[in-house]
């Protein structure tokens, strides 16, 4: 699995994803995307808590690749993902995220936060 993104499923149905800097290369990014396939293979609904506070300056290419991945897997998102809380601090990353989300009208509830406690509260986590 990718060191760029750590998936934590210990509190299922909440899946935590923590980003660390940026991917070293496309292979590491594709490994990260495979993590979503593994979640979908559970055939169970879940919520995502994405912590992007430690992410670096992500090249636009990875945002575009993420957008294509989301488009290709929209049926799984609709079927399994209920809510997505994204914690981030960077305005540049926020703009990239908005672009990615605008390219893919998602069927789940997505909210962004600057504070992890607010994100957890929204997901109803302790």
């Amino acid at each position: 699995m990718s060191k760029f993104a750590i998936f934590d499923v210990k509190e299922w149905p909440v899946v935590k994803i923590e980003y660390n800097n940026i991917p070293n290369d496309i292979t590491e990014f594709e490994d990260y995307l495979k993590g979503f396939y593994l979640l979908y293979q559970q055939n169970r609904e879940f919520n995502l808590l994405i912590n992007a506070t430690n992410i670096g300056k992500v090249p636009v290419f990875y945002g575009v690749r993420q957008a294509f991945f989301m488009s290709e897997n929209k049926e799984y998102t609709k079927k399994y993902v209920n809510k997505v809380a994204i914690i981030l601090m960077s305005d540049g990353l926020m703009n990239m995220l908005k672009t990615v989300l605008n390219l893919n009208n998602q069927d789940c509830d997505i909210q962004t936060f600057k504070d992890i406690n607010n994100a957890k509260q929204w997901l109803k986590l302790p």
Side-chain angles (χ1 to χ4, degrees):
M1 194 61 62
S2 170
K3 293 178 185 168
F4 157 66
I6 307 299
F7 286 72
D8 178 353
V9 296
K10 290 180 220 148
E11 295 183 53
W12 193 281
V14 174
V15 176
K16 297 177 184 176
I17 302 174
E18 176 127 12
Y19 296 121
N20 297 299
N21 208 342
I22 62 171
N24 289 318
D25 54 32
I26 188 63
T27 302
E28 187 172 35
F29 192 78
E30 291 298 324
D31 284 346
Y32 150 71
L33 294 178
K34 286 178 189 173
F36 288 99
Y37 286 124
L38 295 173
L39 294 174
Y40 299 146
Q41 288 175 351
Q42 299 298 312
N43 296 318
R44 301 187 292 169
E45 292 182 0
F46 60 93
N47 297 316
L48 287 170
L49 176 62
I50 299 173
N51 187 344
T53 56
N54 293 323
I55 200 164
K57 187 175 178 182
V58 179
V60 173
F61 169 79
Y62 293 119
V64 172
R65 178 63 186 107
Q66 180 83 42
F68 277 110
F69 177 84
M70 291 169 66
S71 178
E72 293 167 349
N73 293 282
K74 188 172 180 133
E75 67 183 88
Y76 295 113
T77 300
K78 184 176 182 176
K79 187 172 182 178
Y80 298 121
V81 182
N82 292 317
K83 295 170 92 175
V84 180
I86 304 170
I87 306 132
L88 45 83
M89 306 303 271
S90 162
D91 290 335
L93 186 59
M94 177 69 81
N95 291 334
M96 182 186 289
L97 175 64
K98 286 179 182 178
T99 301
V100 167
L101 295 175
N102 286 336
L103 291 172
N104 294 284
N105 294 329
Q106 295 301 309
D107 293 314
C108 62
D109 196 359
I110 301 172
Q111 296 288 326
T112 58
F113 301 88
K114 291 196 178 219
D115 178 89
I116 193 165
N117 292 323
N118 290 337
K120 286 181 175 182
Q121 184 179 15
W122 183 71
L123 287 173
K124 297 182 173 56
L125 282 175

